[in-house]
Amino acid sequence: MVNGISISVTQQDLVDRVISVECPVIDTRQSSSQQWQAFDRALPGMLGALFDLAAGALRELPNVGLPREDRPRLVEYVLLGMALAKASGKHPNEFLQQFQTTRAETVARTLDASPVASAVLEFIEANPYGIEASVKDILTRLEHYKPAGAEAWPRTPKGLGDALRRASPALRQLGVECKSLGNIGGKVKWAIKGKLATPCHASHEVIVPSGVGHDIKTSMTSSPAGTLATEVL
């Protein structure tokens, strides 16, 4: 357990292995003796409730599951949480949605602490199709999106590659894929791409309303000849 006022976990590859809990603000304060007295009074009921929930979660655990593509790194924790929600009379997806929301907020906070990740997001926003080039060329391109006042900015291509590796798990959750392509032609290349929808290719077939023909030489409608015509260029 790690606690602190500021963000304790800022490495993106560690975020996938951490459960972040933000404690509420204390508005009513008690003395230590009052807290222990209240705790001792509530302890039997709390233990009984915890044991009941644990037994219910273990009973429901075989009945919950996640598609392979939706499984996070902490899949056992998520499945147990979904089983616990079901044992509590709630829908398992309620826990999953809360987990995903908390994870997205944590990822956003950690990305704010990474100038390279912030630059990559700005770059992808301006260049949705991304880039596939040498690390040196990518470093030059990302310089234009470097956050103002960033001190931990990589000075070498190797430094950028290390930063991209650390940031890639968190960036992937935001729809940005950073992947090393290895040594190609004597240069280490990387691909940075956003997850875009596959473009729909235009069809060579032209649908013509029923009862209207199509002149394949002029592309003008003429006499009735069917409902489907092929345009010849």
Side-chain angles (χ1 to χ4, degrees), residues 46-57:
M46 289 191 299
L47 283 177
L50 287 174
F51 290 150
D52 288 343
L53 286 174

Side-chain angles (χ1 to χ4, degrees), residues 137-216:
D137 292 340
I138 294 177
L139 179 59
T140 302
R141 294 286 300 275
L142 290 181
E143 286 280 356
H144 300 288
Y145 303 91
K146 176 182 176 181
E151 297 180 357
W153 186 258
R155 299 182 180 181
T156 64
K158 181 183 181 301
L160 176 62
D162 293 341
L164 290 175
R165 286 187 180 89
R166 289 192 297 268
S168 59
L171 289 171
R172 191 177 300 116
Q173 295 187 43
L174 298 182
V176 179
E177 188 72 30
C178 298
K179 183 179 180 181
S180 174
L181 304 178
N183 193 315
I184 301 177
K187 296 181 179 180
V188 177
K189 292 190 175 183
W190 275 72
I192 302 177
K193 298 181 180 180
K195 294 181 180 178
L196 300 174
T198 303
C200 179
H201 299 287
S203 173
H204 294 294
E205 294 180 337
V206 179
I207 303 299
V208 182
S210 179
V212 180
H214 197 277
D215 190 325
I216 63 174

Side-chain angles (χ1 to χ4, degrees), residues 35-53:
Q35 291 178 352
W36 280 112
Q37 289 174 4
F39 177 78
D40 290 337
R41 288 194 300 268
L43 181 58
M46 289 191 299
L47 283 177
L50 287 174
F51 290 150
D52 288 343
L53 286 174

Side-chain angles (χ1 to χ4, degrees), residues 4-229:
I5 297 176
S6 59
I7 301 175
S8 301
V9 178
T10 58
Q11 296 297 330
Q12 288 80 16
D13 55 348
L14 183 57
V15 170
D16 278 349
R17 302 171 176 86
V18 172
I19 303 298
S20 297
V21 178
E22 187 169 345
C23 297
V25 177
I26 299 175
D27 53 6
T28 302
R29 300 186 182 276
Q30 295 178 327
S31 65
S32 178
S33 60
Q34 290 176 320
Q35 291 178 352
W36 280 112
Q37 289 174 4
F39 177 78
D40 290 337
R41 288 194 300 268
L43 181 58
M46 289 191 299
L47 283 177
L50 287 174
F51 290 150
D52 288 343
L53 286 174
L58 292 176
R59 182 181 62 251
E60 296 292 346
L61 188 57
N63 303 321
V64 298
L66 281 173
R68 183 179 299 274
E69 62 274 11
D70 294 337
R71 296 174 186 173
R73 185 182 293 272
L74 298 177
V75 61
E76 293 86 359
Y77 171 83
V78 173
L79 291 175
L80 183 60
M82 294 173 67
L84 182 61
K86 190 173 182 179
S88 303
K90 300 179 181 179
H91 196 283
N93 284 344
E94 289 188 35
F95 175 84
L96 180 61
Q97 291 173 356
Q98 291 180 354
F99 174 82
Q100 292 172 337
T101 299
T102 302
R103 178 57 53 86
E105 293 174 352
T106 304
V107 167
R109 288 197 297 266
T110 57
L111 288 178
D112 288 341
S114 170
V116 170
S118 299
V120 168
L121 291 174
E122 292 287 339
F123 174 81
I124 287 296
E125 185 175 351
N127 305 272
Y129 288 95
I131 184 174
E132 183 176 314
S134 67
V135 186
K136 182 178 180 181
D137 292 340
I138 294 177
L139 179 59
T140 302
R141 294 286 300 275
L142 290 181
E143 286 280 356
H144 300 288
Y145 303 91
K146 176 182 176 181
E151 297 180 357
W153 186 258
R155 299 182 180 181
T156 64
K158 181 183 181 301
L160 176 62
D162 293 341
L164 290 175
R165 286 187 180 89
R166 289 192 297 268
S168 59
L171 289 171
R172 191 177 300 116
Q173 295 187 43
L174 298 182
V176 179
E177 188 72 30
C178 298
K179 183 179 180 181
S180 174
L181 304 178
N183 193 315
I184 301 177
K187 296 181 179 180
V188 177
K189 292 190 175 183
W190 275 72
I192 302 177
K193 298 181 180 180
K195 294 181 180 178
L196 300 174
T198 303
C200 179
H201 299 287
S203 173
H204 294 294
E205 294 180 337
V206 179
I207 303 299
V208 182
S210 179
V212 180
H214 197 277
D215 190 325
I216 63 174
K217 295 181 180 179
T218 63
S219 296
M220 299 292 291
T221 56
S222 57
S223 59
T227 59
L228 180 65

